[in-house]
Amino acid sequence: MNDCVDLDVRPGDFFGILGHNGAGKTTLVKQMVGLLRPTEGVLQYCGINVTKAGHIVCRDVGYMPQSAHALNALNVAESLLFTARLKGLRRNLAARERDRVADLLGLASLMDRTARTLSGGERRLLQVGVALVADPLVLVLDEPTNEMDPVRRRQVWELLWRLNRHEGKTVVMVTHSPREAEQVLSRVAMMDAGRVVRTGTPADLVASADGRLRLRVSMDGCDSRRRAMILKRLRTVCPTAQETFDAIVGMVPRGAIEQAVHTLERLSVHDFSLAPLGLEDVYVRELTTDGRL
């Protein structure tokens, strides 16, 4: 369930929706494409009420859900062809579109395979292909690279980047990968408990960290007593420091960097790193209970 969501996705945006499981992301994108009717408020596409003009959304928007059980009995070629026909393409144009999308995503070797026999990553790739059929103006994608191997994941990110930057397509994407998304997103909405808690460009969101750096101190080979001592000393200069299974991590204000390094040197700790924050750090900060860096 979503609560008072107010978003404006502009033409040509590469818009990311980030949030943990149950934050309301899938509910939101289903409402965007008219599959769920909001109890209050209005969803508009180019000034048109989505709930009253679903046929326009079907024409202009390519939607990829989290799962697509309707495809299970079809092979890859049929899935692409029938989607093209449902989008209104004549049989010969639909066949061309099937082949174009298959070539675009490297699906040629899978064309005779039924969806239920594909691996998880292959099914996700087919779902991306179905969303791309008929060259829609807008793409709404719910975790498109989930279950994909690194090679296919990079392939899809690069394809979406090209479609956005070079063809002007608007992309709205639910993702759990802020590190990858940071490279291509033009704007981001962070969701928690059905609400949008932050929006902005990745650069603006990262800048809100006020120049803090991410500190990581390796704990390999340290017993529990030494770990506890290092953590206690670090918290005097880095209050957010906390222990993970193999390291101590925290966010250090720029004014305390020198002091943090000296503290580690006095403790004879040499295996540590300091790095600028990324979108993932801001994302995690926003979804913690106290909201502190």
Side-chain angles (χ1 to χ4, degrees):
M1 184 169 120
N2 290 328
D3 184 14
C4 300
V5 174
D6 185 8
L7 288 178
D8 178 22
V9 180
R10 299 184 289 258
D13 268 351
F14 199 132
F15 196 96
I17 303 173
L18 302 178
H20 56 77
N21 293 334
K25 307 180 302 298
T26 293
T27 297
L28 178 59
V29 294
K30 283 184 176 180
Q31 290 171 331
M32 284 181 178
V33 297
L35 293 178
L36 288 178
R37 184 185 295 269
T39 53
E40 292 183 23
V42 178
L43 283 139
Q44 292 186 323
Y45 168 69
C46 295
I48 301 167
N49 190 324
V50 168
T51 59
K52 295 180 180 179
H55 63 287
I56 296 176
V57 175
C58 290
R59 181 195 68 194
D60 289 357
V61 178
Y63 172 57
M64 176 183 173
Q66 277 192 345
S67 59
H69 299 298
L71 300 178
N72 281 346
L74 303 176
N75 64 32
V76 171
E78 291 169 339
S79 298
L80 299 175
L81 181 67
F82 293 164
T83 301
R85 293 286 284 158
L86 288 171
K87 288 279 190 175
L89 275 64
R90 295 182 181 275
R91 183 175 296 275
N92 62 331
L93 293 178
R96 279 190 219 165
E97 186 64 4
R98 172 200 63 201
D99 296 341
R100 181 189 74 86
V101 172
D103 183 62
L104 194 64
L105 290 171
L107 292 169
S109 63
L110 304 175
M111 296 294 267
D112 295 328
R113 296 263 305 275
T114 56
R116 67 164 62 93
T117 68
L118 301 176
S119 69
E122 289 169 339
R123 279 197 300 273
R124 298 303 281 171
L125 199 63
L126 171 58
Q127 288 175 252
V128 172
V130 168
L132 292 175
V133 165
D135 202 23
L137 299 173
V138 179
L139 294 169
V140 178
L141 312 172
D142 197 343
E143 298 185 35
T145 59
N146 189 32
E147 297 187 79
M148 288 186 185
D149 61 69
V151 173
R152 282 199 172 100
R153 187 180 300 120
R154 180 176 290 273
Q155 174 191 7
V156 170
W157 277 112
E158 290 179 350
L159 172 62
L160 295 175
W161 181 86
R162 291 198 307 271
L163 292 174
N164 174 255
R165 300 298 169 88
H166 300 313
E167 297 186 22
K169 293 191 185 300
T170 302
V171 181
V172 179
M173 174 191 290
V174 172
T175 179
H176 282 297
S177 180
R179 285 187 181 180
E180 291 178 315
E182 188 173 7
Q183 307 301 315
V184 295
L185 295 179
S186 56
R187 290 199 298 143
V188 182
M190 297 180 180
M191 292 192 69
D192 183 33
R195 289 178 173 268
V196 174
V197 294
R198 288 288 296 277
T199 59
T201 68
D204 287 343
L205 292 172
V206 170
S208 70
D210 297 326
R212 303 183 188 198
L213 297 182
R214 185 195 314 113
L215 170 67
R216 184 183 188 278
V217 182
S218 174
M219 290 288 101
D220 287 345
C222 293
D223 59 29
S224 58
R225 184 175 178 179
R226 179 162 170 76
R227 282 171 176 250
M229 184 264 291
I230 293 173
L231 180 60
K232 181 178 179 180
R233 295 281 189 87
L234 269 180
R235 280 182 171 165
T236 63
V237 293
C238 179
T240 60
Q242 54 188 304
E243 190 175 4
T244 68
F245 74 97
D246 67 341
I248 292 174
V249 296
M251 307 301 171
V252 185
R254 283 199 179 273
I257 292 171
E258 186 175 356
Q259 189 178 356
V261 172
H262 287 164
T263 299
L264 291 169
E265 288 176 345
R266 287 196 297 271
L267 293 169
S268 298
V269 174
H270 305 293
D271 190 359
F272 66 90
S273 63
L274 286 161
L277 298 188
L279 183 61
E280 183 172 19
D281 299 296
V282 179
Y283 167 59
V284 171
R285 178 196 65 178
E286 289 296 335
L287 300 184
T288 57
T289 55
D290 58 8
R292 294 182 305 135
L293 269 174

